[in-house]
């Protein structure tokens, strides 16, 4: 029989790993050495919450700590864990490998590290460079740079056009843009915004039944709308129907997440989509890609993906 002290130790370790916040901390701290401020930004939690759980992990021997000047750095070093902690952690990490929240954390971590490690000519302003760019130039030009690749005579559909912000951007690069939305209130706002544009048409319809002819569009976009529809597969099928030969579709939406309160608050039907789910939706397309998007520093919602596929020749 195991010694009573050994049993007590295992129970203590399991108690540490039973907390979701501490699991999230351990997963990112195994990936890199981070400060409390880093962890606050990556996990999008209050600094007091991060500090409280870090103390539990530090006192329990799960992480190590070092100081560099006034900064304190934390890290999970697998080889420095004793056998019982290492065995439990490896099993826990494996069983939580497809946890959507943890995957979102790692996406934010990669983007955070990329921003933190900027150097060279911009070393003196690396931490503030994005804010400087936003202040001087805004952000929309980055997304619009890709729209410039549309042919000048392109006919484009914007499914789930909402208030028309993206539709307006599309209109600068396409010969004709058709905005589709099921909400009369959204379309009312879009009409006010887009009234001066003579190459934009707006139609009210469900995204699973778009009132456009087969093979009538060079490109079809669905931006932050798929989470709201009852049948994403039906929308993907409709996008495929609308495309001309060699046309392409683009979908931007939420990666899978565990934030059901967020879903209800935003009125969405789905808690995002995994890359595999999106790949299945685009199974009838050619040259498909699903790419997680680096989260923006100030974004409070789940991370996004961008997916694309072609209609073939």
């Amino acid at each position: 029989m195991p010694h009573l002290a050994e049993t007590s130790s295992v129970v203590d370790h399991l108690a540490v790993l039973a907390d979701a916040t501490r699991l999230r901390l351990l997963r990112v701290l195994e990936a890199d050495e981070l400060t409390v401020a880093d962890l606050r930004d990556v996990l999008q939690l209050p600094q007091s919450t991060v500090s409280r759980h870090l103390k539990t992990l530090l006192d329990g021997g799960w992480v190590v700590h070092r100081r560099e000047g006034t900064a304190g750095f934390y890290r999970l070093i697998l080889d420095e864990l004793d056998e019982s902690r290492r065995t439990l952690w490896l099993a826990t990490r494996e069983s939580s490998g497809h946890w959507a929240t943890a995957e979102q954390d790692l996406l934010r971590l990669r983007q955070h590290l990329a921003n933190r490690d900027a150097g060279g000519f911009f070393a003196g302003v690396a931490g503030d460079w994005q804010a400087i760019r936003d202040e001087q130039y805004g952000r929309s030009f980055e997304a619009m740079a890709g729209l410039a690749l549309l042919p000048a005579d392109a006919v484009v559909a914007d499914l789930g056009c909402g208030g028309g912000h993206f539709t307006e951007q599309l209109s600068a690069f396409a010969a004709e843009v058709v905005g589709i939305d099921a909400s009369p209130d959204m379309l009312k706002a879009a009409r006010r915004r887009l009234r001066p544009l003579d190459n934009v048409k707006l139609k009210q319809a469900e995204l699973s039944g778009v009132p456009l002819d087969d093979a009538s569009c060079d490109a079809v976009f669905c931006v932050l709308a798929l989470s709201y529809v009852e049948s994403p597969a039906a929308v993907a099928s409709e996008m495929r129907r609308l495309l001309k030969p060699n046309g392409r579709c683009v979908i931007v939406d939420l990666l899978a997440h565990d934030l059901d309160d967020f879903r209800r608050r935003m009125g969405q039907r789905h808690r995002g989509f995994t890359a595999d789910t999106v790949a299945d939706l685009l199974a009838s397309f050619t040259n498909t890609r699903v790419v997680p998007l680096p989260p923006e520093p100030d974004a409070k919602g789940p991370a996004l993906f961008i997916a694309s596929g072609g209609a073939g020749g």
Side-chain angles (χ1 to χ4, degrees), residues 18 48 226:
S48 59
L226 206 62

Side-chain angles (χ1 to χ4, degrees), residues 254-285:
L254 284 65
L255 283 167
H257 62 86
D258 299 319
L259 306 175
D260 203 51
D261 287 345
F262 176 89
R263 180 193 64 79
R264 289 195 297 269
R265 188 169 69 251
M266 296 297 290
Q268 296 166 339
R269 293 176 180 265
H270 307 281
R271 289 186 303 183
F273 305 92
T274 67
D276 288 343
T277 298
V278 180
D280 288 342
L281 291 175
L282 299 179
S284 65
F285 293 78

Side-chain angles (χ1 to χ4, degrees), residues 26 29-30 32 62-64 74-78 81 89:
L26 288 171
L29 287 173
E30 186 178 19
D32 211 287
W62 289 92
V63 299
V64 296
Y74 296 83
R75 184 74 190 266
L76 186 162
I77 303 176
L78 191 61
L81 294 179
W89 172 241

Side-chain angles (χ1 to χ4, degrees), residues 208-225:
S208 57
V210 177
L212 294 175
D213 293 338
D214 294 357
S216 58
C217 298
D218 297 283
V220 181
F221 293 85
C222 184
V223 178
L224 295 181

Side-chain angles (χ1 to χ4, degrees), residues 3-19:
H3 192 277
L4 182 60
E6 293 176 352
T7 302
S8 177
S9 177
V10 170
V11 170
D12 290 342
H13 296 341
L14 289 173
V16 170
L17 296 178
D19 184 272

Side-chain angles (χ1 to χ4, degrees), residues 21 47 57 83 86 92 115 128 136 167 174 183 242 244 252-253 262 270 291 295 303 306 311-313:
T21 299
Q47 187 160 321
L57 293 173
E83 184 177 356
R86 183 165 59 250
T92 303
N115 292 339
D128 300 319
Q136 299 299 324
T167 315
S183 167
L242 294 174
K244 296 177 182 178
V252 179
D253 219 284
F262 176 89
H270 307 281
V291 180
I306 184 166

Side-chain angles (χ1 to χ4, degrees), residues 165-184:
H165 175 74
F166 185 58
T167 315
E168 183 178 27
Q169 292 181 332
L170 288 169
S171 71
F173 299 99
E176 181 180 338
V177 183
V178 184
I180 309 292
D181 206 282
S183 167

